[in-house]
């Protein structure tokens, strides 16, 4: 529940469990049962039957019986992660988090104020995870005018009293910086019982490990391959980091492709060992328009052979100079590449015209880079992180047609909204939270 550790760092388990002996027993499990098995390796303070009930409730809201089905499209396998309430993969973790928090708050009789920064999809998924709940209030900051109109409506059209949308005059990185500032103000943090739902929250990563196992089992069964590859469109390094942990747990992943748009800071790092902050470029895959990848710090822990002092030094260097240079990059299964808008649009068009399958622009980034970096030696699973209807304009630009619809999105147009504009200043945000809580 803590989100950020009290010294400003991120939390990780002390050790990563070895799942190799369990793979055979797990391969035929349904999604929910698999989730329960995987969580049980990391969670020792919630009874299994309670955990099972929390998981069941969390995935009841999904529109597909398999939760995250894997669909073959030509030579690749598309892992559809967008069947939750807000049509993006973030629902997989945030539906669970809302229920986990509720259970833990009921246990202790406490309330919680969640603060979140969003580049678009986290916000609406987090809001739908906690809307209408008694013990949770949520404050979501998005960069004003820099999320898609649909993403904005998915957040601001939720009028529940425990939901507060803040449109920040700044970038996503500014929003994320404010969240960190609020958490590092220990007095404010304790007084207002702050909670985090951004991927700095470990439970989110944990929830995302599950679908790597689930998809690998489906595809190994379908193809008789003994290893698989994944390609993951990346912004904050949360999703791909969950895949990296699945690899460390022993899932036979031959290759894990980290794919970025023009915000290629992570791709550059993996190909040079230099992590250098730059300016954010606005693209058609806005959920990946990020420079400070919050979960990269967790990867650095493994780069540093678990030397937390070294991680601290690197993170301080980043803050001071805007650059981290590690002596070498230990890739393990990770490979990285970037792509540009023209290629992404071309990929969407190609998959629609040749295979009748519509990729959202984030997924298309993953597909385009994954295909470039992988031959056919092992099956390639492409993570589909959003439903194309969330990014209708990009689909129109790519295909020349108005193809991307979903009833959940279409009903948003003209819906009443509530949102507060605010400067990119932690003080302004703390003042807003104080006022809302004390009302
Ligand atoms: C958040 C998001 C991503 C990036 O995920 P990270 O965990 O931040 O790397 C990619 N695609 C979509 C649609 C997203 O919402």
């Amino acid at each position: 529940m803590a989100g950020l550790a009290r010294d400003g760092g991120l939390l990780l388990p002390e050790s990563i469990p070895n799942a190799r002996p369990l793979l055979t027993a797990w391969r035929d499990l349904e999604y929910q049962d698999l989730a329960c098995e995987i969580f049980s390796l990391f969670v020792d303070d919630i009874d299994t039957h309670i955990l099972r009930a929390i998981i069941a409730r969390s995935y009841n809201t999904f529109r597909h019986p398999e939760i995250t089905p894997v669909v073959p499209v030509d030579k690749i396998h598309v892992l559809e992660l967008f069947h939750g309430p807000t049509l993006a993969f973030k629902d997989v973790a945030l539906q669970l988090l809302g229920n986990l928090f509720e259970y833990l708050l009921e246990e202790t009789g406490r309330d919680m104020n969640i603060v979140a920064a969003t580049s678009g999809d986290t916000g609406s998924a987090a809001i739908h995870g906690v809307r209408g709940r008694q013990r949770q209030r949520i404050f979501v900051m998005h960069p004003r005018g820099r999320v898609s109109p649909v993403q904005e409506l998915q957040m601001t059209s939720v009028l529940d009293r425990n939901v507060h949308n803040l449109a920040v005059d700044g970038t996503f990185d500014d929003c994320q910086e404010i969240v960190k500032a609020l958490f590092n103000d220990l007095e404010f943090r304790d007084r207002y019982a702050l909670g985090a739902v951004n991927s700095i929250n470990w439970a989110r990563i944990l929830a995302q490990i599950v679908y790597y196992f689930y998809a690998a089992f489906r595809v190994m069964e379908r193809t008789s391959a003994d290893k698989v590859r994944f390609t993951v469109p990346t912004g904050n390094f949360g999703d791909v980091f969950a895949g990296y942990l699945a690899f460390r747990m022993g899932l036979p992943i031959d290759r894990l492709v980290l794919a970025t748009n023009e915000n290629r800071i992570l791709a550059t790092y993996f190909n040079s060992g230099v992590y250098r902050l730059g300016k954010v470029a606005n693209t058609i895959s806005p959920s990946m328009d990020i420079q400070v990848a919050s979960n990269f710090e967790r990867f650095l822990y493994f780069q540093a052979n678990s030397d937390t002092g070294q991680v601290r030094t690197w993170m301080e260097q980043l803050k001071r100079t805007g650059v981290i240079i590690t002596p070498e990059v230990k890739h393990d299964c990770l490979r990285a590449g970037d792509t540009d808008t023209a290629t992404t649009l071309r990929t969407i068009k190609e998959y629609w015209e040749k295979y009748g399958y519509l990729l959202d622009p984030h997924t298309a980034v993953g597909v385009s880079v994954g295909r470039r970096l992988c031959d056919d030696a092992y099956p390639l699973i492409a993570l589909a992180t959003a439903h194309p209807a969330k990014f209708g304009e990009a689909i129109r630009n790519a295909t020349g047609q108005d193809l991307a619809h979903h009833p959940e999105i279409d009903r948003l147009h003209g819906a009443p909204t509530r949102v507060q504009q605010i400067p990119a200043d932690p003080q302004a945000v703390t003042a807003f939270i104080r006022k809302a809580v004390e009302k």
Side-chain angles (χ1 to χ4, degrees), residues 17 50 67 69 116 132 142 144 173 177 197-198 200 297 331 344 382 392 412 428:
I50 293 173
I67 316 300
H142 68 265
R144 190 166 72 92
D173 291 320
E177 208 42 56
V197 293
N198 279 108
I200 55 174
E297 181 178 336
H331 281 96
T344 306
L412 290 174

Side-chain angles (χ1 to χ4, degrees), residues 83-143:
H83 293 285
T86 70
L87 309 180
F89 85 95
K90 294 186 170 81
D91 288 322
V92 177
L94 287 164
Q95 285 291 305
L96 179 88
L97 219 61
N99 285 308
L100 261 183
F101 281 176
E102 174 152 287
Y103 165 73
L104 294 167
L105 292 169
E106 282 296 333
E107 284 289 282
T108 54
R110 297 203 179 139
D111 287 356
M112 182 183 228
N113 291 299
I114 295 167
V115 289
T118 185
S119 56
D121 294 324
T122 297
S124 55
I127 286 169
H128 284 77
V130 308
R131 65 183 294 182
R133 292 185 192 272
Q134 292 301 319
R135 297 188 174 277
Q136 301 175 54
R137 249 184 235 99
I138 185 162
F139 300 85
V140 176
M141 288 170 259
H142 68 265

Side-chain angles (χ1 to χ4, degrees), residues 65-367:
E66 273 195 82
I67 316 300
T68 63
V70 189
V71 179
V73 180
D74 184 40
K75 285 186 192 155
I76 62 171
H77 303 263
V78 179
L79 170 55
E80 294 185 344
L81 300 171
F82 51 70
H83 293 285
T86 70
L87 309 180
F89 85 95
K90 294 186 170 81
D91 288 322
V92 177
L94 287 164
Q95 285 291 305
L96 179 88
L97 219 61
N99 285 308
L100 261 183
F101 281 176
E102 174 152 287
Y103 165 73
L104 294 167
L105 292 169
E106 282 296 333
E107 284 289 282
T108 54
R110 297 203 179 139
D111 287 356
M112 182 183 228
N113 291 299
I114 295 167
V115 289
T118 185
S119 56
D121 294 324
T122 297
S124 55
I127 286 169
H128 284 77
V130 308
R131 65 183 294 182
R133 292 185 192 272
Q134 292 301 319
R135 297 188 174 277
Q136 301 175 54
R137 249 184 235 99
I138 185 162
F139 300 85
V140 176
M141 288 170 259
H142 68 265
R144 190 166 72 92
R146 290 174 194 248
V147 299
S148 85
V150 165
Q151 288 177 320
E152 188 174 332
L153 270 172
Q154 280 187 302
M155 296 189 278
T156 58
S157 67
V158 178
L159 303 179
D160 298 69
R161 284 180 46 200
N162 69 333
V163 173
H164 301 275
N165 279 291
L166 303 175
V168 173
D169 287 315
T171 62
F172 169 72
D173 291 320
D174 293 327
C175 298
Q176 195 154 255
E177 208 42 56
I178 295 174
V179 170
K180 281 207 164 182
L182 265 51
F183 271 86
N184 285 328
D185 179 347
L186 295 181
E187 197 194 324
F188 182 80
R189 168 180 177 165
D190 290 342
R191 168 132 193 219
Y192 289 92
L194 294 193
V197 293
N198 279 108
S199 52
I200 55 174
N201 187 306
W202 161 251
R204 273 191 63 182
I205 306 293
L206 177 55
Q208 292 174 194
I209 292 174
V210 178
Y211 50 70
Y212 283 91
F213 279 86
Y214 185 78
F217 291 145
R218 296 294 76 71
V219 170
M220 290 195 290
E221 171 184 86
R222 195 179 286 163
T223 60
S224 309
D226 59 354
K227 283 185 182 176
V228 291
R229 292 171 172 170
F230 286 95
T231 180
V232 189
T234 304
N236 248 326
F237 204 77
D239 202 2
V240 72
F241 183 66
Y244 180 68
L245 291 178
F247 165 80
R248 290 193 77 102
M249 288 171 71
L251 186 66
I253 298 177
D254 173 69
R255 203 169 272 188
L256 183 59
V257 175
L258 179 163
T260 74
N261 61 24
E262 284 92 338
N263 295 287
R264 56 182 69 89
I265 175 167
L266 285 166
T268 305
Y269 170 74
F270 278 94
N271 293 313
S272 69
V274 180
Y275 184 81
R276 187 188 305 275
L277 300 184
K279 259 189 131 48
V280 180
N282 293 329
T283 73
I284 57 168
S285 44
S287 304
M288 295 156 40
D289 293 346
I290 289 169
Q291 283 292 323
V292 188
S294 55
N295 270 285
F296 185 59
E297 181 178 336
R298 287 192 164 111
F299 182 72
L300 286 175
Y301 173 76
F302 293 103
Q303 284 291 295
N305 293 316
S306 314
D307 177 352
T308 52
Q310 177 65 69
V311 177
R312 180 188 293 276
T313 305
W314 279 334
M315 291 309 290
E316 282 169 0
Q317 243 166 42
L318 182 67
K319 204 157 190 161
R320 226 177 34 248
T321 65
V323 191
I324 300 176
I325 303 173
T326 62
E328 53 167 338
V329 183
K330 288 198 278 291
H331 281 96
D332 290 326
C333 59
L334 278 158
R335 299 291 179 276
D338 63 276
T339 190
D340 57 21
T341 301
T343 312
T344 306
L345 289 170
R346 223 168 28 241
T347 306
I348 295 172
K349 184 175 159 75
E350 178 195 341
Y351 272 75
W352 173 249
E353 290 181 351
K354 281 198 188 152
Y355 316 117
Y357 192 90
L358 213 45
L359 303 168
D360 102 283
H362 304 78
T363 307
V365 167
V367 168

